[in-house]
Amino acid sequence: MAYHKVSADQRAQGHSPYLDNDELQATALELEWDMEKELEEPGFDHFRVDGTAQHRPGHSQGPDLDLEPIQPSSSPKGRFQRLQEDPDYISHYTRQAPKSNRCSLFRILKIFCTALILFIFGMVTGYYARKKCPSPPASQEPNNPHIYREILKEIKAENIQQIYRDLLQFPWEDDVDVARKILVQWRSQGLEDVRLVNYSVLLDLPGSSANTVTLKSSGECFYPTGQQCSRDPKTLHSQDLLYSYAAYSAKGTLEAELVDVQYGTMEDLIRTQAITNVTKKIALLKLGQSPLLYKLSLLEDVGFGGVLLYVDPCDLPKTTDLAGKAFMVSLNGGGDPSTPGYASIDGSYRQNRLNLTTLLVQPISAVLARKLLALPEDGVQKDRCAPLQLPATGKKIISLNIQSVTTYKTISNVIGYLKGAVFPDRYVIIGSHHSSLNTHGGQGWASSTAVITALVQALTRKVKRGWRPDRTIVFCSWGGTAFGNIGSYEWAEDLKRVLQRNAVAYISLHDPVRGNSTLHPVASPSLQQLAAESQSFNCVEKTRCAGSNVSSVQIQGDSDYFINHLGVPATQFSYEDIKASENSSFLSEALFPEHATRTEELDPSFSLHETIAKLTGQMTLKIASEPVLPFNALDVALEVQNSLKGDEGGVPQLLAVASRLRDTAELFQSDEMRPANDPRERAPVRVRMLNDVLQSLEKSFLLHQAPPGLYRNILYRLDERTSQFSVLLQALEHCKLHQSNETLQAALSEVLNSINSAQVYFKAGLDVFETTLAGKK
């Protein structure tokens, strides 16, 4: 509060027509200093911005507080009464002279004694009140690390395991029934405000029989797993076969030549087009390297009619055997396809979008891919995995038959609120997901839900003992995730205006344990430092999470809308297996059927789940309870500069504006954030202004439009291998394919304007603070 001291001194030195003596000036100064002393007390690290802060007993007065300047004895008449007095007040009463000086002295002595008695009484009352109602101990303060430890101690592996097993006892019911049971579970833990939010959305579900692939040369018919077609009822109605499909693919039958495009990169497509005409042919495509929706958009652009999609075993860890399994993917970029860009509520206009692509897309197993390529079964040669590739000789004509059904279904979200005590209008959102109408994706939903329920349990226990976070924590269990994050999109579109103003951060629990080799923390640049600190603060398996690098890469799950449409800082902790190759990125887009014991095999003691829960809890508590949001503005500017290294044309202009952004962010970090982290320097209004700037710092980096599958938020890279802005990388590839730089110039312009917008935003924030200070002077 150094700026309050300075301004008070300056006001005391200047002349004011409303101050008629030095005592009033001293009184005003003492009032300001007394306010500061109160703010320095242990219970005043958090404020109510609206000026209605509740003063707890023991903080308002005490024996060490100098009350003399504000006693009635210093001014028998009220301040405003004196200011309104007529200068000739005494002359109106000249008819009767004072009786004697002795009477006057007696009256003054009487007033003085009365004031002295009141002063002593106030001192004694304050002393005993303070002694009887002592200040809460430091550990009870919301932003004290001790209270974080107390809450996180409540999270135990055995509790998470029990919650997980209870969830798996639910029969495979529809989305609404599972959501209701989660709602009951959260309410039983003591979460006071829990709601079930339903939306009617368009889903693309399997037909009555599995899709098929037929070799025209031999007439052999195969299911997506590689099994030969059968009339056995058990095989025909197998859930694994029925759910081996691409949701929202085009429907029908296509007979055409099979063309191997490997990973569908720009180089792959240029090479393929040089060899053959690809119009209306069927591409054999490997999952990985880049987002599926982006690769499909390129295949559609060059004229393909269909796609067979598979995962090369060489891209999977050696311990993972999925060669004989097909999988499910969604071709939905996000939300209800029938209400793009707006919420699916009663009365909304429903667009007729039965499929989201002109391509017939079918996921198949690696076993079927080998059969179609006429390759031997064993792909391992002297401990070296040989990637699948179509031989140079011979053409393969196949017939692809896809029959899925679009229908409207109800999906449900469970939303629970733990109201904040100081900033209840600011939301820290934690999201998991629950069952999505099928068994694909394994037990990831139960793992995700068990962790978030354990967090609810730990926090509500502390709330029952009188604690509350400063900001509101919103717990969300999303429905419809497997079909394109539908539940989270619809809820966020429904509350878009509220979330644009109130959402502070999104913390994801999407499939927290999908492997057991290494911890993989992901965070937006502004949260990377906090994520790194959280790892060192609390980690059960030290050898498995110490030193894990925090990166800003595209991730799967329901954080998508919050990152790409709201510009909200986001983070996610998960355990994964060590990647087998550089092509392993985006393999999690495939949802494989997994047996029920998969999660318990990966983490039999549930210690990894406990680690994820505590890391997530630590991040949540810091963001929800620190007076100043723990976001790092300078890290954002540094990430922008790092992303421009190695880029081609247009770099000088980009580097110049990025340099200005860094300079402004450094000033903001040192001049505004550093002093605010000192409790003695905090003014409630100033802290609120600072938090408003920090809360919206990533919104400037949202592009108006990005290629399918790529993030609109340019702060996130495609994967750990690439450091450049992904939108610029894809624009360069587009130039190679179409021999035109128009797309690149447009992308460069968008990126340039985003960086400049962020620089202007920080500069405006600094100007506001300077203006505020100048006004006080």
Side-chain angles (χ1 to χ4, degrees), residues 689-709:
M689 288 166 57
L690 176 60
N691 284 337
D692 286 346
V693 173
L694 291 171
Q695 182 180 325
S696 299
L697 61 88
E698 291 195 16
K699 290 180 170 60
S700 297
F701 297 98
L702 299 182
L703 302 181
H704 291 97
Q705 193 171 5

Side-chain angles (χ1 to χ4, degrees), residues 313-361:
C314 296
D315 294 335
L316 294 169
K318 292 181 180 179
T319 55
T320 306
D321 183 15
L322 298 172
K325 295 182 178 179
F327 50 92
M328 173 190 172
V329 294
S330 174
L331 309 186
N332 179 14
D336 175 19
S338 69
T339 58
Y342 52 95
S344 180
I345 58 176
D346 291 342
S348 295
Y349 170 67
R350 306 281 182 167
Q351 299 184 23
N352 185 23
R353 304 180 75 197
L354 302 182
N355 46 268
L356 301 179
T357 177
T358 60
L359 297 169
L360 276 75
V361 183

Side-chain angles (χ1 to χ4, degrees), residues 647-758:
D647 278 338
E648 298 178 13
V651 166
Q653 294 87 347
L654 289 172
L655 286 176
V657 72
S659 179
R660 290 199 297 273
L661 172 62
R662 177 175 175 172
D663 292 341
T664 310
E666 274 187 301
L667 281 173
F668 184 84
Q669 193 93 5
S670 59
D671 289 4
E672 305 306 331
M673 292 191 66
R674 181 192 52 75
N677 285 319
D678 182 353
R680 295 170 298 178
E681 299 276 350
R682 295 188 194 127
V685 173
R686 197 172 179 83
V687 168
R688 184 63 183 241
M689 288 166 57
L690 176 60
N691 284 337
D692 286 346
V693 173
L694 291 171
Q695 182 180 325
S696 299
L697 61 88
E698 291 195 16
K699 290 180 170 60
S700 297
F701 297 98
L702 299 182
L703 302 181
H704 291 97
Q705 193 171 5
L710 300 187
Y711 273 12
R712 287 180 58 210
N713 190 327
I714 63 173
L715 294 176
Y716 290 78
R717 306 190 306 272
L718 274 178
D719 52 42
E720 285 87 351
R721 294 179 300 126
T722 57
S723 61
Q724 290 83 12
F725 291 122
S726 54
V727 67
L728 294 183
L729 287 175
Q730 306 314 318
L732 284 168
E733 288 194 351
H734 192 274
C735 290
K736 296 175 186 176
L737 185 65
H738 295 279
Q739 302 297 313
S740 169
N741 68 348
E742 185 177 336
T743 304
L744 177 60
Q745 294 302 319
L748 283 168
S749 179
E750 279 234 62
V751 171
L752 178 68
N753 278 281
S754 293
I755 300 171
N756 185 65
S757 174

Side-chain angles (χ1 to χ4, degrees), residues 6-213:
V6 172
S7 59
D9 291 339
Q10 289 175 344
R11 283 197 301 269
Q13 293 166 9
H15 173 73
S16 172
Y18 300 105
L19 297 178
D20 55 354
N21 60 46
D22 293 334
E23 287 182 11
L24 278 177
Q25 294 181 20
T27 301
L29 282 172
E30 289 297 325
L31 281 170
E32 285 197 23
W33 280 94
D34 288 345
M35 285 179 64
E36 183 178 5
K37 286 180 181 178
E38 288 189 358
L39 294 180
E40 288 174 4
E41 291 287 341
F44 282 84
D45 281 351
H46 304 278
F47 310 101
R48 292 188 184 276
V49 179
D50 57 7
T52 60
Q54 296 179 354
H55 294 262
R56 290 174 287 182
H59 284 272
S60 59
Q61 279 188 337
D64 57 342
L65 198 62
D66 184 10
L67 300 179
E68 187 169 354
I70 58 173
Q71 291 305 313
S73 59
S74 64
S75 177
K77 300 180 180 180
R79 179 182 181 188
F80 294 101
Q81 181 182 350
R82 291 191 299 107
L83 294 177
Q84 294 173 2
E85 270 190 353
D86 183 58
D88 300 323
Y89 184 84
I90 301 297
S91 64
H92 297 166
Y93 297 89
T94 55
R95 285 192 302 174
Q96 189 172 0
K99 292 182 178 179
S100 68
N101 290 337
R102 185 178 178 182
C103 182
S104 177
L105 288 172
F106 178 75
R107 182 174 296 172
I108 293 171
L109 183 62
K110 184 178 179 181
I111 293 171
F112 176 78
C113 291
T114 303
L116 183 62
I117 291 168
L118 289 173
F119 176 74
I120 294 171
F121 178 76
M123 291 286 287
V124 173
T125 303
Y127 173 77
Y128 282 103
R130 189 180 184 93
K131 190 172 182 180
K132 190 174 182 180
C133 304
S135 300
S139 62
Q140 294 303 309
E141 291 192 30
N143 66 332
N144 193 296
H146 295 297
I147 204 165
Y148 302 161
R149 295 183 192 278
E150 288 176 16
I151 293 171
L152 298 178
K153 277 182 184 176
E154 300 283 345
I155 300 172
K156 295 181 173 62
E158 54 269 25
N159 291 345
I160 300 175
Q161 186 177 39
Q162 187 57 54
I163 295 168
Y164 174 82
R165 289 175 175 173
D166 290 345
L167 289 168
L168 289 185
Q169 289 178 1
F170 296 168
W172 287 106
E173 305 171 45
D174 70 14
D175 197 81
V176 179
D177 291 330
V178 176
R180 283 187 182 134
K181 290 175 180 177
I182 294 171
L183 178 140
V184 171
Q185 198 173 44
W186 288 5
R187 280 184 177 164
S188 69
Q189 300 297 339
L191 194 59
E192 52 208 25
D193 185 0
V194 190
R195 309 168 190 177
L196 198 68
V197 185
N198 297 330
Y199 296 98
S200 178
V201 300
L202 186 67
L203 299 183
D204 192 27
L205 301 173
S208 57
S209 59
N211 298 334
T212 59
V213 178

Side-chain angles (χ1 to χ4, degrees), residues 172-433:
W172 287 106
E173 305 171 45
D174 70 14
D175 197 81
V176 179
D177 291 330
V178 176
R180 283 187 182 134
K181 290 175 180 177
I182 294 171
L183 178 140
V184 171
Q185 198 173 44
W186 288 5
R187 280 184 177 164
S188 69
Q189 300 297 339
L191 194 59
E192 52 208 25
D193 185 0
V194 190
R195 309 168 190 177
L196 198 68
V197 185
N198 297 330
Y199 296 98
S200 178
V201 300
L202 186 67
L203 299 183
D204 192 27
L205 301 173
S208 57
S209 59
N211 298 334
T212 59
V213 178
T214 304
L215 267 174
K216 298 305 293 182
S217 58
S218 62
E220 290 179 287
C221 173
F222 297 98
Y223 291 131
T225 57
Q227 298 171 257
Q228 288 199 338
C229 298
S230 166
R231 294 184 179 179
D232 182 1
K234 290 184 179 179
T235 305
L236 284 172
H237 298 96
S238 165
Q239 289 291 302
D240 285 359
L241 289 179
L242 291 178
Y243 278 92
S244 298
Y245 79 116
Y248 306 104
S249 163
K251 286 83 175 168
T253 302
L254 175 63
E255 183 177 317
E257 180 185 347
L258 187 66
V259 178
D260 185 7
V261 296
Q262 288 295 297
Y263 293 96
T265 64
M266 199 61 64
E267 289 76 13
D268 290 331
L269 294 181
I270 292 172
R271 172 184 49 80
T272 303
Q273 284 185 303
I275 299 172
T276 183
N277 180 11
V278 300
T279 304
K280 296 299 180 184
K281 294 186 178 178
I282 299 173
L284 183 62
L285 176 68
K286 293 181 183 181
L287 197 67
Q289 281 201 18
S290 57
L292 174 61
L293 292 184
Y294 175 68
K295 297 198 286 188
L296 293 180
S297 70
L298 295 180
L299 294 174
E300 193 172 14
D301 192 24
V302 298
F304 277 98
V307 177
L308 292 182
L309 182 66
Y310 72 102
V311 175
D312 195 314
C314 296
D315 294 335
L316 294 169
K318 292 181 180 179
T319 55
T320 306
D321 183 15
L322 298 172
K325 295 182 178 179
F327 50 92
M328 173 190 172
V329 294
S330 174
L331 309 186
N332 179 14
D336 175 19
S338 69
T339 58
Y342 52 95
S344 180
I345 58 176
D346 291 342
S348 295
Y349 170 67
R350 306 281 182 167
Q351 299 184 23
N352 185 23
R353 304 180 75 197
L354 302 182
N355 46 268
L356 301 179
T357 177
T358 60
L359 297 169
L360 276 75
V361 183
Q362 176 59 50
I364 62 172
S365 69
V367 167
L368 179 54
R370 283 188 178 279
K371 290 179 179 179
L372 297 177
L373 296 172
L375 297 174
E377 291 295 325
D378 187 10
V380 179
Q381 300 175 353
K382 295 181 181 180
D383 296 327
R384 180 178 172 273
C385 185
L388 302 186
Q389 191 170 0
L390 183 68
T393 57
K395 290 184 178 181
K396 295 284 182 179
I397 307 296
I398 65 169
S399 177
L400 176 59
N401 180 44
I402 294 177
Q403 300 297 332
S404 54
V405 179
T406 52
T407 183
Y408 282 95
K409 290 273 188 180
T410 299
I411 62 102
S412 297
N413 299 325
V414 187
I415 312 293
Y417 295 85
L418 177 57
K419 291 293 176 66
V422 181
F423 305 115
D425 61 333
R426 293 295 181 257
Y427 301 156
V428 180
I429 304 170
I430 310 177
S432 65
H433 66 97

